[in-house]
Amino acid sequence: MTSSRKSDDQILAKLQGVTKMYSQPDHYDILVLDDINLTILKGQFVALLGPSGSGKSTLLRIITGLSQPSFGTVLYRARPVTRPNPHAAMVFQSFALYPWLTVQQNVELGLTAKGIDRTERRQKALRLIDLIGLNGYEEAFPKELSGGMRQRVGFARALAVDPELLCMDEPFSALDFLTAENLRSELLDLWLDDKIPLQSILMVTHGIEEAVYMADRIIVLSKNPARIVADLVVNLPHPRNRKSGDFIYLVDHVYKTVTASDRPQLNSPLKLVPSSFHDPESEERAQLKPIPYGHLSMLSGLLELVSDRGGRDDLYRLGSELLLEVDDLLPVTDTAELFHLATVAEGDLILTEQGRQFAEVDVSLRKQIIRRELLNIPLFRLILRVLSAKSNHSMSKEFFTDILEEHFSHDQAERQLALAINWARFADLFHYDTDSERLYLADDQIAEAADQDAVLD
Ligand code: ADP
Ligand code: MG
């Protein structure tokens, strides 16, 4: 279906230097997409794969013209995209249907907007409702449908306008396993049988298996900021067998690429772009790095499992055994790396000496290990320094969220602090009182924090 000849008439969309920044209330902008260059050819089913929060939805919105890049251009059939592209249609993760309209009216929506007359609209909608397996439900309202049926309506509505480019933002992730599996293969049938006049499909996903199962090409994005770190071809014939050696090999390969791309981002500070002026204090605070969203109970479980396996195991296998998507597993392995308990190499998780100890000792010794590690992390040092300096050894949560908001969005700042409080509670580093919303040091912690003063400076 794809060819290596890239003559201009084969190019459907082209992104050149697409960069997106979101401005923050303070004087920093957050760089979300960094210099994305991408050419989408006719006939391609492209999967965009990346950790959550990396900018996949942002990129999709920019490609369809729903949002504009800060720098760079999007060309569609060699013309710059400056408004919502009428040849592109979008399917969202959550079934964005109008509750007061019937199935048929929902499907007809895009056609009404195009000024197509009533009879033709009706015929077309009925044909698509049939194609997508919803006949009999034309007059039903969204609330009467299951999640899977609603998503079918979403597909029918997107396809009704005869789009050339179908964009899907995690279209299967809110569905139960069997429904998702069904819809995936039905969509593939439609695509492969040429029953619909589609030129290309662009699917955002964080499921590696889903990408390898469906797409011809997988673009892997990094996070903070998003850059293209791999552009992989999937040349397995359809229907693809998830148990075949080739399939498993490719999934494993993509897994390695994704885990490798995730690592350098963790070790580098969040990329911030000073937009007007900067002061020395915020520069000092610029050392703050995002901490990974790893839960400590999950971390303990993972390390014990790997320890049982002799201290090293394949991440892909661990993920499937723990029923974790890569998106859920990576924050845990990132946390293991942050605490020097394990390293990731070649798609394997390998315990360090400290990691082996951690897996074997009881909870109180585990707390000590985590405590020692937390004392080396700028966010925790900052919190301890502030609490130690106060005469009442207490400070409002808001004070710290404000600092974090210099680096992160409001939601992220809240999440980072909630996680820090959670870790600190485990390691007995400081406390948090939910009623007064204050962080504080208990008596024994004051003495210990004083002991640590030398460490902190
Ligand atoms: P993904 O779809 O990969 O999960 P998104 O594209 O939704 O990621 O978001 C990427 C980043 O951009 C996130 O950090 C998010 O908080 C930020 N972001 C998205 N939209 C906005 C916005 N309108 N204003 C500020 N930040 C935003
Ligand atoms: Mg998204």
Side-chain angles (χ1 to χ4, degrees), residues 53 56 62 65 141-142 166 184-185 210 215 246 248 330:
K56 303 181 296 295
I62 288 177
F141 287 94
L166 179 65
R184 278 186 201 112
S185 62
E210 180 172 284
D246 286 347
I248 293 169
L330 288 188

Side-chain angles (χ1 to χ4, degrees), residues 5-16:
R5 242 184 78 243
K6 288 185 194 167
S7 69
D8 282 354
D9 61 355
Q10 283 187 303
I11 297 175
L12 193 63
K14 189 167 189 166
L15 280 71
Q16 295 171 314

Side-chain angles (χ1 to χ4, degrees), residues 51-58 61 93 169-170 204 206:
S52 65
S54 56
K56 303 181 296 295
S57 299
T58 303
R61 281 200 303 276
Q93 169 185 3
D169 195 347
E170 309 201 21
V204 160
H206 59 251

Side-chain angles (χ1 to χ4, degrees), residues 257-275:
T257 312
V258 172
T259 50
S261 77
D262 193 57
R263 296 182 59 230
Q265 313 306 320
L266 178 71
N267 298 326
S268 59
L270 191 70
K271 183 135 184 196
L272 293 164
V273 185
S275 53

